[in-house]
Each structure stands twice: as C-alpha cells, then as structure tokens.
Amino acid sequence: MDVGILQPFRSRYSDWIAEALKELDDCFLITDPSICKHPIVFASHRFLQMFGYQMHEVIGENGRMFQGRYTDRRTVLQIREAIREERPIQVEILNYKKDGEPLWILFHLFPVFRKEDGQVSNFVSVHVPIESRSRRKSVPKGLSLGKQWSRGGIIVSGSCRAEISAEEEIMCNLAADYFANTDDSVPEAEHFCEANDVEKQKAIDASKNILSTLIHYSEFTGMLVSGKQCKSLSVSPLSSSLLISLGRIKQSFVLIDPRLPDMPIVYASDAFLCLTDYSKSEVLGQNYRFLNGPLTDVETLNMIKENVEDSQSCSVRLLNYRKDGSSFWNLLHISPVRNSSGKIAFFVAVQILENAQNDKGSLSPEMSQFTVVGAVKVAVRGSSLTSSGLGSSKSRQSTFNHS
Amino acid sequence: MAEMKLTIKRVPTVLSNYQEDGKSETVGCGRSCLGKCCFPVSNFPLYEFKKDTQKHEKGSAVAGKNSPIDFLNTLVLGQWEDRMAQGMFRYDVTACETKIIPGNHGFIAQLNEGRHLQKRPTEFRVDCVLQNFDSKKFNFTKVGQKEVLFRFEPSDGEPRYFEDAKVSPDSSGNVLAINVSPIEYGHVLLIPRVLDCLSQKIDSESFLLAVHMASEAASPYFRLGYNSLGAFATINHLHFQAYYLSVAFPVEKSPTKPISISKSSNKSIGVTVSQLFGYPVRGLVFEGGNTLRDISDMVSAACICLQETNIPFNVLISDSGRRIFIFPQCYAEKQALGEVSQEILDTQVNPAVWEISGHIVLKRKKDFEETSEVHASRLLSEVSLSEERFDEVKSYIFEALGLVAAVDVDEDEVTPGMNNGGAFLSRSSSHITTPFPEGCLVLQ
C-alpha cells in the first residue's frame, strides 16, 4: 500500500477525516480520480466487515475489484459512464466478497466537487446490501436450475483477487477460472435482485451523511467541497474522466493550455515530476519555459514557438534543468491535441531523457513519444464528448438530490 | 427472378492510399506492397498473442500484465500517431467535430466532410452476401507496407513483440493496417491471412482472430466491427475494422432481453443470447462463455448461417470480446428497390456497423447541425429488419446453433438499460421501426 495516495484526501479534509468517517455506520468507499488508476482512499468499517477485507487490502485498489463473473456487463458500463460524466448513479449490481460469495448490492455513487475549480475531488460509493431478494419472474429455462455459488466461487482466494485489481485496464475477474468446470447455468444466488424503496432511501440517507461529513471537514482546511459543481469559472477544469485516462499514461509529459494567458501547464504526469524533481503544485500554472536555463539553446526555443503558433507538432533536443539546477538533454516532442469539437484544446509536451534506459526495451524514443501523444489525443477527445447540457441521464437522477 | 441483379451506385470510401481507380501496375512490383511479390520478403513489427487463452478474463489479464508491451496504447495508437506524423491520412480526423445528440440513446454524430471526396460512384452488387474474390478489383494485397502497423500472429507461448521481424514462411500473414479515411482516432483494418485473398466472408478462425484482438486491446473503448457484402462492405477482401472512441456506444447501453441460454448439445459453453429491446435496429447480443473460443464460435456460426441464407449483416465486437452484437439488415436492398425515402438518401449516410451501433458519420454540415435523435432513429430503423422478418432470421440462427428459445419471455425480463424509464423505450418499439411493408427478403 502506498501511503502517498492518501495524501490529497487528508490534506483536503484534514487528518481527522478518517476518524470522523469511521463514526458513520454506513457501508461505503471513497475514491480519488486524480490519482493514477482511480484508487480507493477510504473504506468504511461496515464495508470491510461485509466484504471480508482488511483496510490495507482495499486502499489503493480500484473499485472494480468487487465485480465478478456474473456481474452484469451493462451495469458496469453504466457506472463507467456515470464516472465519465461526473454524475450520480444508483443501480443494482452483483458484487463478490473476498471469499467469492456473491452479494447483491444497491450501488449508489456520487461525485464530490472541489469548490475552487469545480473538479471532482472524490467519488463516494454507498453499498446497501439488498435483503429483499425479489427475483425476476419467469427466468428462461436453463437459468433457474443453477448451482449455488459456493460450488466454484468459494475457492477464490484473497490473493487472486488482489491480482485482479492490480490489473489495469479492464474489469477482469479470475473467479471465472474457478467456475470453468461447473456448468453453464447462472447460479441462483446471482439472479437479478431489485432493491426496494427502503433500501433506496437508505442509500440516499447514507450519501447525505457522508457528504455532509466531507463538507464539514473540508471547512477545517479551507479547501471546500460541494455536492454540486460550481460552474462559475471561465475555464472548465480538467474532468475527472480525463484525469483518470491521463493517469494511466506512465511516461513523462505535460499538458499546456494554449487558450490561457502565457500558456500554462495544466497537467503534469507523475513521471514528469519524477524527472524534474518538482512537485505538482510547483509545476501547474507555470509556462513550460521554467525548465529552461542558462545554456538552453535560444534558436531551438524559437523553433518550438513557431511550431506552436502554427499549430504544428515538432521534435527537438533541448537542454533543460531540474529543480536542483542539474541539467539533462531532453528529447522533446510537442503536438497539438484537439477536443471533440475539433479545436485545439492543449499542446502535449513529451519528455524523453536522452540515453535513458528505456523500460519499454525495444521502443525507439520517437515511438515512445508517439505512444503518449496517441493516448493523450484519445483521452482528450473522448472526455470532452458529453451530451451538451440536456443531460438525459442527469435529470433522471431524481432519487438523489445532492444539496 | 434468379437472373435479376440488384445493384446500387455508391461512392466507395478510400481505405488505402493505394486504392486508385484505373492506375495500372508497373511490371515487376517495387511498390513494397502486401502481395506475394513483396510481403514474404519483408520485415514488419510483429505482435504474437497467446493462442490458447482459456478465459476471457485471462486474455485481458495477459494483455494488461504480462504482455511485453501495452498492446493498445503502444502498438495501435503509438504506431497510428507515427503514421499521422508521416502524413499518411487523407485528413486529420481529430479536427472533425463530434457531438452527442441529446436524447435517450445518446447517438454520437461526427461531421466528416473529407471522407467521401474525390470519388466517383461505383456499382456494387448488393444482393449477394457471398461473392468470389476478384483480384482485378482493389484488395489489400495492393496496400503499401507503410500502411501496415504490425503483424498479429498467434503463438503457443506468452505474448511477445518484435519491432522488426522477418515474415517467416509459416506465417499466417494477419496484418493490421491503417484506414487512410479514418472515422476516429486509431481507425485500423485487421486483414486475416492477407496473401490468401479471402473474400469478405466470416469463417470461425478469422472471427476468432478478431475476438483475440479485442481481448488483447483490453479496453471497452476499442471495438471491432464487420460489414458483410450487401451491408456496406465496400471491399471484397476479408477485413475487420476497429477504432478507439472512449464513450459508450448507444447500442451498448440499450436494454436487452435474454432469449436463449442453453445449447441442446451436452457441451456447456455458457453463452447467453439476448435481443436488443427498444433500439431502432433489431439485433442479437451474445455474452459470456468460458473461453474466447466459446463466444467466438457461436457468433461465427450465426454469421455463417446468415451468409449462407444470403442475409446481409453487421457485427460489433464490444467490451473486449465479452459482448458481441449481430445485426441482420436490409437497407441496401431497400435502397436498390427504391424504398428508402429521398430525405434519408440525401444524407448519404451508409448505415454500416458503426452507424448501427450509434456512431453516425455525417457528410454535410447542415445534416450535422440539424440532426436529432428522431432523425437518427429514423435512419437506423430503415436498416432494421421488420419484427416478423427478424423472428424468421432468428429462427434460422437458432436452428443453426442448436439453441433453444427461452420460454415465456415477458417484458419483466428486460434488463434495464441506462436510458430506460421513458415511454420512448417501453412496450414495443414498433412505432420507430421501419414504415415499409415486408419485403426485405433478398431475392435468391
């Protein structure tokens, strides 16, 4: 477990937040979309008890670790879309405990926004177990005579589950390996369960409790949060879906916003911070020139400037400086990145340390750079693509009134 | 009747820079193409995937964890960006405006004015799903080697990547090439066994190859698609398309109802078959299965049944190969018979797999600005088979697959989709489906 991932959470809500949340008797998780892989940063006592995990087994993992073989794929897609669009969602979903036992959950997720810039600070997911077990009627033949989950599921060990969640891109579950030799029927315990109104209300009440606790503790630090997004800003913040996508890119790069005065850096990857020794707060808002120093070649800088002004990409070799003043040869590639409207939203600047041992082995520096540019382009294009205002999905979330 | 040929004129999309009408080949080759002359003596990057992936999940895990290289980002997108830097595309697709059309389905519309320029209409036979390979027409052996991103080959061991590998004599010759008229970033063509000059026709091994690619990419946003002849494939040389777009497609969000589960044979493979519900195009959804091959074999058997029955269709491989959609369609035939309204024809939209899935590429700014959910639904419902015809086609497929239809499926069985909840989706969707009478039976 990397303690660093808890840092933004603590600094926003103070060091007492964990204690305060432990007081709540609800079953919930809190995640941080600004950190690579969108990890869980808090799990309530009730949650751990219900799912059979220890705190350290859950912190740092992605929330999909509780999904499994019979988790409905479209429900997973619905949740993914809600996160992408930064809106609340309430759905029934089949989760799995650590021992492999399936558990029907009313899953209620909502975003918590930072007041200062409208970015999502955290997502909170409340998990209300569905007791009612009201099954669907008329299950097709072959479905209803299934075997119990325990036939195969119980073999799934904790260590397997840890592996699953470490896996990056995709919801994936090795539980299926252990089901392989059972028959093809969906086990009875895993048939769709619908939550009743009491359970739905319970999820809403829990959400309100958690939100008000978070708001309260954000007042201690002055870094306020809100259940509503403040859209008063002239510049739209990087959406959490963009941050999640960018967080997956391991190489060193920054995003520059050409529409802001003096073209500041608005995103810096962890590898960039590692390369230059600066902290995130020291980098964001700076113009890229802050990496230059006395021996940086002026002509090369002019060439970059011309290309940027012409909205062209360019590759150069540039002497840059770290925070401690030491210099390095930077194989720099800069490329415009367009949003879904086809307009240039950012420039991406990819840094490759010359002669560095490339962890990709055989990849040339150029190909490494293209890899980053490609991933950034699709991330920006996808995350800027949302239904404009009419929020077909937003308006329907009447079940949760986040005030 | 048997003599009658149905044809329509259509502007074929330029998929390759080497696809130029009327240009004769010079003697000898020297063009660095993918033909028998050049391909076997060339070097390409090579990605080897593990052939015997037992589980879906394992396939993805391999791609995510043990893989020597990030398949999707590094190979597909990185190589694609490299070709973009070389100026190999006909236009910058990221400069094309894209928006989500407000409404329940959330159709995705793209304005792409560059894709269809500079071409004259060609006549396509649309009444034959299976046609022989014609080496005189454009095919992918004429593609330049620079358009190839890498070879994609099965292997017995763990996945491996070689930046520069010689084509060995026993290579199957599966290549991934760019589409020079992309409709999204990363738009590529998977061409199985390029030298074998297979016609556009599904076979189980080629289909499995496509499913493997979806699994290796391990992203729900990288989908593969297939258009049969008569369902807007414009090149009769076996190929699948794929691209990356990080939003859910409307069809993926659509509610479904299970219509069959068990296979009558003893072999349990655990693939569920459902039907789309409340989506403008009728289609089947295959999900689950213990292995990639389970779902792949079932879908390819369904496709083979459609081919042999001469029913044009489109296929979408979604969710890293976990969910596969089949849409039998009849638009081209309606078009040839003059049954499609002029208003819809004027948009020149070819409803192929991406359009049917809800990603609609529009050629005219006016259409892009004025488009609405009603409009998009109307276009797509022209593609759909009528309910009666769909049921008939379904019964052919069930028979071919040895499936048993679920008994007594009522509306409670519908799994709620993301946009469920409006009158729009409830009950029968007949009011948004084709206003045309029966008559989609392809002349045989």
Side-chain angles (χ1 to χ4, degrees), chain A residues 235-236 238 255-267 344-347:
Chain A
V235 194
S236 58
L238 301 192
L255 289 192
I256 293 159
D257 190 337
R259 294 167 299 186
L260 294 179
D262 202 32
M263 300 180 57
I265 293 171
V266 291
Y267 181 88
I344 293 176
F346 305 104
F347 280 88

Side-chain angles (χ1 to χ4, degrees), chain B residues 37 39 70 122 206 213 265 277 287 416:
Chain B
C37 42
F39 185 78
D70 177 339
T122 309
S206 300
M213 178 157 284
S265 75
F277 187 81
E287 295 175 75

Side-chain angles (χ1 to χ4, degrees), chain B residues 142-210:
Chain B
K142 298 177 182 175
V143 162
Q145 294 184 359
K146 278 183 155 183
E147 292 183 8
V148 172
L149 300 185
F150 54 91
R151 292 195 293 126
F152 185 65
E153 301 282 348
S155 89
D156 294 321
E158 293 304 309
R160 289 191 295 176
Y161 174 67
F162 306 91
E163 197 160 30
D164 194 35
K166 207 161 179 55
V167 177
S168 64
D170 58 346
S171 149
S172 41
N174 311 316
V175 299
L176 195 74
I178 56 170
N179 181 335
V180 301
S181 303
I183 67 169
E184 248 319 321
Y185 198 88
H187 194 167
V188 289
L189 305 166
L190 171 64
I191 304 147
R193 292 154 54 196
V194 63
L195 285 185
D196 290 352
C197 293
L198 305 168
S199 60
Q200 185 73 342
K201 172 185 175 185
I202 295 279
D203 66 89
S204 64
E205 290 311 306
S206 300
F207 194 77
L208 181 61
L209 183 76

Side-chain angles (χ1 to χ4, degrees), chain A residues 69 73-74 78 81 84 136-138 141 169-171 173 177 184 340 362 370 377 381-382 390, chain B residues 55 57 81-82 96 98 102 163 184 218 246-248 261 270 290 319-320 322-323 412-413 415 418:
Chain A
R69 168 156 196 189
R73 297 300 304 167
R74 201 172 44 261
Q78 285 175 270
E81 283 291 285
R84 201 179 71 79
R136 288 205 179 170
K137 290 166 275 173
S138 70
K141 273 193 177 168
E169 272 291 332
I170 198 76
M171 299 74 198
N173 199 304
D177 291 356
D184 64 339
S340 60
S362 56
F370 289 140
K377 280 184 175 176
R381 199 163 160 78
L390 268 180
Chain B
K55 307 289 171 287
E57 287 77 8
E81 179 64 27
D82 171 69
C96 292
T98 298
E163 197 160 30
E184 248 319 321
S246 59
V247 284
I261 176 77
N290 291 325
D319 203 0
S320 310
R322 286 187 183 85
R323 299 181 78 205
D412 287 351
E413 211 50 58
T415 52
M418 179 174 286

Side-chain angles (χ1 to χ4, degrees), chain B residues 237-253:
Chain B
H237 187 176
L238 183 58
H239 65 287
F240 295 84
Q241 303 188 40
Y243 59 82
Y244 189 99
L245 182 61
S246 59
V247 284
F249 278 177
V251 75
E252 295 170 331
K253 299 190 282 186

